[in-house]
């Protein structure tokens, strides 16, 4: 009876983590498979051991080996994970009401929110969408379990095989059209960038450090619109991709002194085991993100 009570309390996601570790042999590779952090994998394994009454894994060189207890839990839990996923699929098949939670840094998706809602309603009448717009998503390397889908920019090298890529783009150093910002005038160079939660923040500072250019943070912006406005007003130089540039900026003439900037990608990433409707939403978002916008042409004219 006690074993039965323990099994009833088992979280399928803990067991899913154990399955991933068994497949991958290392916590880092299991984290990649699950799209979570390595520390999250370790925490889940510890919790699973606590729940079942004994350690699940043990170190084995650079790999992770299952303990005898862990192997028993794996054998017993595999069927539970499959049964759980089957129930989720069946619920989706009968159009059970669900809410998809979306995290994005792209405010322009909100310009088409009515169209997106109508299209999703036609495909999945039982689905509602909760939008979370947060520029800090540019820093998140993982999808966390609070969201079914993340739409954001990442370094092109950080895109994962399962991601839907809407576009790739170059990064450039820009400055205000009438504000050249000389680096040889003895003054500290003002840098306009995003908040520290964004990878642009570290990227720009690191490039200036590597080039030996004295600089300081002049304006920290929450959005692309704010950054474009600050640059156009002459507040400083900035790193920005081509598609998000707006009129009022120009290439910075001293950019050749700095290291080559990496390319970026606009992706849609679906949480593993998210409701099936999430993939249709990701496809719609990818299509919208990939479409040219009039302001894109104006930015590079």
């Amino acid at each position: 009876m006690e074993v039965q009570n323990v099994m009833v309390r088992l979280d399928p996601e803990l067991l899913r983590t154990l399955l991933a570790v068994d497949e991958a042999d290392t916590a880092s590779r299991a984290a990649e498979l699950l799209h979570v952090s390595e520390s999250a994998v370790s925490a889940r394994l510890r919790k699973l051991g606590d729940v079942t009454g004994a350690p699940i894994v043990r170190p084995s060189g650079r790999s992770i080996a299952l303990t005898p207890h862990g192997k028993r839990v794996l054998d017993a839990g595999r069927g539970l994970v499959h049964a759980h996923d089957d129930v989720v699929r069946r619920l989706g098949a009968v159009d059970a009401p669900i809410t998809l939670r979306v995290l994005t840094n792209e405010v322009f998706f909100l310009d088409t929110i009515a169209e997106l809602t109508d299209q999703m309603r036609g495909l999945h009448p039982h689905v509602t969408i909760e939008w979370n717009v947060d520029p800090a998503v540019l820093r998140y390397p993982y999808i966390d379990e609070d969201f079914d889908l993340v739409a954001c920019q990442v370094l092109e090298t950080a895109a994962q095989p399962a991601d839907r890529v809407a576009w790739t783009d170059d990064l450039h150093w820009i400055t205000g059209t009438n504000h050249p910002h000389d680096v040889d005038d003895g003054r500290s160079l003002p840098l306009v960038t995003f908040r520290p939660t964004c990878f642009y923040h570290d990227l720009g500072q690191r490039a200036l450090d590597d080039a030996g250019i004295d600089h300081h943070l002049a304006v920290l912006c929450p959005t692309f619109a704010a950054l474009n406005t600050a640059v156009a007003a002459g507040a400083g130089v900035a790193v920005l991709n081509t598609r998000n540039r707006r009129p009022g900026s120009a290439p910075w003439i001293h950019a050749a002194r700095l290291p080559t900037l990496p390319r970026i990608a606009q992706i849609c990433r679906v949480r593993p085991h998210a409701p099936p409707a999430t993939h249709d939403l990701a496809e719609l978002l990818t299509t919208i993100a990939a479409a040219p916008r009039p302001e894109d042409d104006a930015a590079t004219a």
Side-chain angles (χ1 to χ4, degrees):
M1 178 62 71
E2 290 182 2
V3 172
Q4 184 179 15
N5 286 340
V6 169
M7 295 307 292
V8 167
R9 295 189 182 96
L10 283 177
D11 181 345
E13 293 309 309
L14 298 182
L15 293 170
R16 198 185 307 281
T17 301
L18 181 58
L19 266 61
V21 168
D22 180 60
E23 176 183 346
D25 291 331
T26 67
S28 59
R29 177 58 184 150
E32 292 177 8
L33 293 175
L34 295 168
H35 302 285
V36 299
S37 65
E38 189 172 342
S39 61
V41 169
S42 299
R44 291 179 185 180
L45 293 176
R46 286 194 299 273
K47 185 174 181 180
L48 185 58
D50 293 341
V51 169
T52 58
I56 296 294
V57 296
R58 58 178 174 78
S60 179
R62 294 186 176 181
S63 301
I64 294 180
L66 270 62
T67 63
H69 174 69
K71 292 179 180 178
R72 289 194 295 272
V73 174
L74 177 70
D75 291 340
R78 196 183 303 274
L80 180 58
V81 172
H82 292 162
H84 171 271
D85 291 348
D86 184 59
V87 169
V88 171
R89 283 191 294 270
R90 288 174 183 271
L91 287 175
V94 298
D95 288 347
I98 58 172
T99 297
L100 301 183
R101 302 194 67 221
V102 179
L103 175 65
T104 177
N105 70 293
E106 295 293 354
V107 177
F108 70 77
F109 282 137
L110 301 184
D111 295 338
T112 57
I113 192 168
E115 176 187 349
L116 279 166
T117 301
D118 287 343
Q119 290 189 51
M120 282 298 291
R121 186 180 294 119
L123 294 170
H124 303 280
H126 61 297
V127 169
T128 57
I129 305 170
E130 176 188 302
W131 293 91
N132 296 265
V133 181
D134 180 2
V137 67
L138 289 171
R139 182 74 174 201
Y140 301 159
Y142 310 103
I143 261 194
D144 83 39
E145 295 177 0
D146 288 335
F147 301 99
D148 298 294
L149 186 153
V150 169
C152 68
Q153 290 182 21
V154 297
L155 294 177
E156 188 176 34
T157 54
Q160 300 176 359
D163 292 340
R164 289 172 173 82
V165 178
W167 45 259
T168 59
D169 199 359
D170 292 314
L171 291 174
H172 304 278
W173 283 97
I174 61 172
T175 187
T177 303
N178 299 316
H179 305 277
H181 287 292
D182 194 351
V183 296
D184 298 318
D185 59 4
R187 294 185 295 178
S188 174
L189 180 72
L191 177 64
V192 178
T193 187
F194 297 103
R195 293 167 180 168
T197 49
C198 170
F199 69 79
Y200 279 70
H201 182 278
D202 294 342
L203 195 64
Q205 291 204 93
R206 187 164 58 248
L208 293 171
D209 286 339
D210 289 346
I213 296 175
D214 181 38
H215 62 279
H216 64 277
L217 294 172
V219 183
L220 299 181
C221 301
T223 63
F224 290 112
L227 185 139
N228 274 292
T229 299
V231 169
V237 301
V239 172
L240 193 60
N241 65 301
T242 304
R243 284 179 62 104
N244 286 107
R245 271 185 58 197
R246 296 293 169 261
S249 68
W252 187 40
I253 60 173
H254 298 291
R257 301 189 185 188
L258 278 70
T260 302
L261 293 168
R263 285 177 59 81
I264 59 169
Q266 171 71 31
I267 61 139
C268 282
R269 182 173 297 171
V270 174
R271 174 176 62 83
H273 316 295
T278 312
H279 293 278
D280 287 332
L281 178 57
E283 193 63 33
L284 289 172
L285 291 178
T286 302
T287 300
I288 288 173
R293 296 172 292 167
E295 57 265 36
D296 296 334
D297 295 333
T300 56

